[in-house]
Amino acid sequence: MRALAVVTSSLFDKIEDHNKHLLRIDNVEIPLAFVEGNFPDFDAESDQHANFVLVKKVSFSLNYRDLGIVENAWQRLKGATIDTFYPIGSDFAGHVIAIGKNVTSLSVGDLVIGNCFYPEAENGAMPGIPSNHSSKEHEIYHYGKLVKVPSYLTGVEAGALGIGTQTANAMIRKANIKKGDNVLVTSVTSNTSYFLLNALWNMDCNVYGLSYSGKNIALVREHFPFIKDIFAVKEKNIPNTLLIDVVLDSFSDTYLELLLPQLNINARYLTCGIFNQSIGKLKEVKPTNLTLLIANLMMRNISFIGNCLGTTQDLVSGLEFYETKKLLVDSVFTEEDSLSDFILKSFNTESDKFGKVIYEYNEIEEEAEV
């Protein structure tokens, strides 16, 4: 059973170059590699697995959050003197190949993705992301942490959809966008923003984009022709006369203070993340005048809304969009490609990514025994 993992240095040295990569986070190089792990011990008749299913992955993809998981895993593994590893991965798609005796909502053969409902528990399952190890080729999940993939989506596409779709649709639901609102999507070339723009496609509002560097904005305009304009922080070209009613922001530590002068009375500012997540970046963060920040928000009745993931309905309704508008995919990698190429493209090291990056496992095979 394969998995993409953070590995100890001793194990890294034993793996062929094709299947390993040194990922640099700040000034630290962290060894990643494809490894072979043990097949999960799943007993479909046991009480232990009564509410669980075994899934064989078709595909998986990496998100910005995985950088933090990689860094934290390396903090635990870097001093190890034995060959060991920590599998990573957040998004996935796979087929159910075995079910527990209490499971009635899923069947063997169903194509499923993770359901990250949050913050309430559902169907006896804990809220949050189902697994931080979703690159594992076989994995056991509580049935309540999975949803069936609609027939109009392939197993490859579905492996990049879950977290982004659920998060984006939750943010837009909370934003209470009204007809004619000016809506600004920040980090307009980021993965989360692609999902936000997809969900905004048919809404009766004025959509604008904001990029920090200004790179690849022509591609964004081409793919999302309803965007009225895209601005760049480095060019300082947001018109003073443009007042924003809703901000949908992936990295609030980058954009919040910058955008305060552009916010309208009663604006809603929604964010789902921060950019400076690594240990090194956190040490370099400049202090914020919190008193002034809160006063600016308060004086104009601006609502600042944090968002973590979403509901099951956010995910299910969000998937319906892809029946008519296909997921924006940059590239699909397989075992024929080097791991370095997949990692570099996933984390946009060369600033040339446009869309999701997906790793596809071999086609599903019949399991002789489970």
Side-chain angles (χ1 to χ4, degrees):
M1 183 201 74
R2 294 169 291 178
L4 175 60
V6 180
V7 300
T8 53
S9 297
S10 60
L11 180 56
F12 186 80
D13 291 340
K14 299 173 183 177
I15 297 173
E16 63 179 12
D17 291 345
H18 182 79
N19 287 324
K20 65 182 181 181
H21 176 74
L22 283 174
L23 174 64
R24 178 176 287 276
I25 298 179
D26 298 331
N27 295 319
V28 179
E29 288 189 328
I30 301 176
L32 303 178
F34 273 114
V35 297
E36 289 289 339
N38 295 325
F39 193 90
D41 183 13
F42 185 84
D43 183 355
E45 299 302 319
S46 71
D47 291 337
Q48 178 185 0
H49 293 138
N51 295 313
F52 291 80
V53 303
L54 178 60
V55 176
K56 184 181 190 300
K57 308 295 175 57
V58 176
S59 62
F60 72 90
S61 61
L62 300 176
N63 296 316
Y64 191 72
R65 71 181 295 273
D66 288 296
L67 288 172
I69 293 169
V70 166
E71 187 177 31
N72 289 331
W74 181 240
Q75 293 298 312
R76 296 194 295 270
L77 294 181
K78 64 182 180 181
T81 57
I82 60 173
D83 294 349
T84 187
F85 56 87
Y86 183 92
I88 63 171
S90 301
D91 273 317
F92 71 92
H95 289 98
V96 175
I97 59 173
I99 62 173
K101 59 186 179 181
N102 291 346
V103 178
T104 58
S105 58
L106 296 172
S107 302
V108 171
D110 284 344
L111 180 64
V112 294
I113 60 173
N115 182 356
C116 306
F117 55 79
Y118 185 86
E120 304 296 332
E122 295 183 20
N123 298 317
M126 293 295 292
I129 293 173
S131 172
N132 287 329
H133 318 292
S134 293
S135 67
K136 293 170 68 173
E137 196 169 8
H138 295 86
E139 197 166 11
I140 297 171
Y141 294 95
H142 190 285
Y143 78 90
K145 297 302 298 179
L146 303 169
V147 297
K148 295 180 186 178
V149 175
S151 59
Y152 47 79
L153 285 166
T154 68
V156 176
E157 292 172 314
L161 281 175
I163 295 174
T165 298
Q166 202 156 19
T167 299
N169 281 271
M171 291 176 72
I172 288 174
R173 169 174 53 82
K174 294 177 182 178
N176 190 27
I177 297 172
K178 302 177 178 63
K179 182 178 180 180
D181 273 352
N182 292 328
V183 178
L184 180 70
V185 178
T186 69
S187 294
V188 76
T189 58
S190 70
N191 284 332
T192 301
S193 293
Y194 296 149
F195 289 106
L196 288 165
L197 290 168
N198 279 338
L200 288 167
W201 202 293
N202 295 319
M203 298 193 72
D204 191 6
C205 58
N206 305 310
V207 179
Y208 298 87
L210 179 62
S211 166
Y212 195 86
S213 66
K215 294 181 179 179
N216 294 329
I217 60 175
L219 292 173
V220 178
R221 288 177 183 273
E222 181 180 345
H223 191 81
F224 300 104
F226 59 87
I227 297 179
K228 291 191 172 295
D229 207 347
I230 299 177
F231 311 112
V233 171
K234 289 188 175 181
E235 296 178 14
K236 300 180 180 179
N237 59 352
I238 304 178
N240 293 330
T241 55
L242 178 62
L243 293 178
I244 304 300
D245 301 295
V246 175
V247 176
L248 301 170
D249 183 12
S250 303
F251 302 119
S252 53
D253 53 339
T254 300
Y255 295 102
L256 175 57
E257 289 186 277
L258 173 74
L259 290 174
L260 277 177
Q262 301 290 154
L263 300 182
N264 205 352
I265 299 292
N266 296 318
R268 287 85 72 201
Y269 194 111
L270 293 94
T271 185
C272 63
I274 57 174
F275 179 76
N276 296 300
Q277 296 185 19
S278 68
I279 295 172
K281 288 186 174 67
L282 286 172
K283 291 179 180 178
E284 298 171 359
V285 171
K286 296 179 180 179
T288 295
N289 188 327
L290 187 59
T291 300
L292 184 59
L293 175 63
I294 293 176
N296 274 315
L297 295 173
M298 188 170 55
M299 290 298 291
R300 282 178 285 159
N301 287 331
I302 295 168
S303 299
F304 181 82
I305 304 170
N307 183 83
C308 183
L309 303 170
T311 66
T312 296
Q313 188 56 46
D314 290 325
L315 177 58
V316 172
S317 61
L319 291 176
E320 294 173 357
F321 170 86
Y322 298 102
E323 186 170 10
T324 55
K325 304 289 185 183
K326 288 298 182 182
L327 173 70
L328 185 56
V329 175
D330 178 282
S331 47
V332 178
F333 290 81
T334 68
E335 62 184 13
E336 302 299 322
D337 303 298
S338 76
L339 177 59
S340 285
D341 289 344
F342 171 67
I343 296 296
L344 292 172
K345 179 67 77 168
S346 292
F347 294 125
N348 201 24
T349 305
E350 305 298 326
S351 300
D352 61 350
K353 179 171 71 72
F354 187 69
K356 287 290 290 185
V357 177
I358 304 168
Y359 192 93
E360 179 184 8
Y361 278 129
N362 294 339
E363 290 185 10
I364 189 169
E365 300 174 358
E366 295 295 328
E367 301 293 331
E369 293 184 17
V370 174

